[in-house]
Amino acid sequence: MAGEERRWFAAGLLAGLFVLVLAVRMAAPTPADDMVSPAGPAPVVPRFAAGEPPAPAKKKLPIYSVQTDARRIAISFDATWGADKTPKILEILRRYNVKTTFFLVSMWIRKYPEETRMIAREGHEIGLHSATHPDFRTLSDAEIRRELEDNLRAVRETAGFEARLFRPPFGAYDDRVITVVESMGIIPIQWDVDSLDWMDVTPQQIVDRVTRLVRPGSIVLFHNNAESTPAALPEILRRLQGEGYEIVPVSQLLHKGPYYIDHTGRQIPTGPPRLAPAPSPGREPEGGGGGNGDGNRS
């Protein structure tokens, strides 16, 4: 009997030691196992304690929003079908002295070249939205590159603009899509405020939704040919500017130094901005350049 008791005591002691070791390991900070960087591998960033900056995401994400204390946001328009409301939107943006980002599909650019040039002439940024608006998750790596190369060429030849931002059609992506896009020096962009102008909603519903959800660092999604957008836009701009928000193109909202992306898609800076070196004589300057879809018509 004494031998059996000793065996039970030893087993209990081992179990207690195992629980103690496990508790110590779980309490200790561990390095994050993925980082999202605009330019390849990044140094390991430790997990943060409560009240400190959030830990990096566990998978590759586009930038949905930007961490900033400034009352600064970006609004954006996706253009895939139709253009009859685009001149009115541009007139409203001009009236409120606002510059934005238009994500354009190649087939839209080629069908509406004058509207594309008008966007560029008004000083708005042009981003990529693919050549033919497919779900990029269904494409091979080579097909993704062809879509983006065609889109880059269409923007350059029509508007003379070198696009460096990309919004996936339908908001659909996965780790592989993000990896291929970033390998081309292009930054994937999403949004954290969907105006829902692509749905059957009223202008007032769009106004209420956007002004309620926006926060410093937000990226707002609109569409260039949505039925209620021209009616909603003036009140949105008036209210946001009245609340002290500065509205800028997406690239002006982004952090230019090293960063990571947390699990919500928020871009978090990890250091001061990097100053680009002056190009050497005879050398071209280098270009710039982290899920699943959200299911809308972008």
Side-chain angles (χ1 to χ4, degrees):
M1 188 68 178
E4 183 175 349
E5 289 177 351
R6 283 196 296 273
R7 286 195 296 273
W8 279 107
F9 176 78
L13 181 61
L14 288 173
L17 287 172
F18 175 78
V19 171
L20 179 61
V21 170
L22 183 62
V24 171
R25 286 178 62 88
M26 291 180 67
T30 56
D33 53 16
D34 78 331
M35 284 287 296
V36 181
S37 164
V44 172
V45 171
R47 297 196 185 283
F48 299 97
E52 295 186 9
K58 289 292 189 179
K59 58 185 178 182
K60 284 187 170 292
L61 296 175
I63 296 172
Y64 283 72
S65 65
V66 173
Q67 184 185 64
T68 178
D69 294 327
R71 293 179 76 80
R72 203 174 203 221
I73 64 167
I75 66 175
S76 59
F77 297 85
D78 289 359
T80 307
W81 299 282
D84 57 289
K85 296 176 180 61
T86 303
K88 179 62 175 177
I89 287 174
L90 291 173
E91 187 274 323
I92 294 168
L93 295 173
R94 188 185 319 117
R95 191 192 324 156
Y96 287 88
N97 194 29
V98 168
K99 305 300 181 187
T100 67
T101 302
F102 284 78
F103 290 93
L104 307 182
V105 174
S106 294
M107 59 187 184
W108 188 92
I109 294 170
R110 293 182 175 119
K111 187 172 183 179
Y112 303 106
E114 184 50 41
E115 286 80 357
T116 301
R117 286 188 284 269
M118 190 185 307
I119 290 169
R121 282 199 305 269
E122 294 284 332
H124 299 287
E125 178 176 47
I126 297 179
L128 307 173
H129 199 35
S130 80
T132 61
H133 207 262
D135 182 337
F136 270 44
R137 296 171 300 180
T138 68
L139 305 182
S140 69
D141 291 5
E143 289 170 330
I144 291 173
R145 291 189 185 93
R146 282 197 293 271
E147 283 278 330
L148 293 174
E149 287 164 356
D150 181 279
N151 207 185
L152 281 164
R153 186 166 53 252
V155 173
R156 184 185 306 118
E157 292 176 352
T158 306
F161 192 92
E162 289 297 328
R164 284 294 176 264
L165 306 180
F166 165 66
R167 175 168 286 158
F170 311 105
Y173 63 88
D174 54 25
D175 275 19
R176 183 179 61 86
V177 170
I178 300 301
T179 298
V180 175
V181 172
E182 289 184 333
S183 74
M184 298 178 67
I186 297 168
I187 303 175
I189 300 294
Q190 289 282 82
W191 61 86
D192 68 327
V193 178
D194 186 344
S195 68
L196 297 184
D197 62 352
W198 53 278
M199 297 180 67
D200 184 20
V201 293
T202 67
Q204 191 58 51
Q205 287 173 316
I206 295 173
V207 170
D208 293 343
R209 177 179 174 81
V210 171
T211 55
R212 174 172 54 86
L213 295 178
V214 78
R215 61 174 175 161
S218 281
I219 299 174
V220 186
L221 170 68
F222 292 99
H223 295 81
N224 74 301
N225 215 46
E227 184 63 34
S228 296
T229 299
L233 195 56
E235 179 64 16
I236 291 171
L237 299 180
R238 186 160 49 244
R239 285 172 61 170
L240 291 178
Q241 289 179 336
E243 293 171 9
Y245 279 103
E246 179 187 10
I247 303 169
V248 299
V250 172
S251 66
Q252 292 185 26
L253 182 68
L254 302 182
H255 293 294
K256 304 305 185 291
Y259 66 83
Y260 69 91
I261 298 176
D262 73 7
H263 72 283
T264 69
R266 199 156 179 85
Q267 185 196 34
I268 313 290
T270 59
R274 290 187 295 244
L275 297 179
S280 302
R283 180 186 174 191
E284 291 294 326
E286 295 180 1
N292 292 316
D294 293 318
N296 68 34
R297 302 187 315 173
S298 294

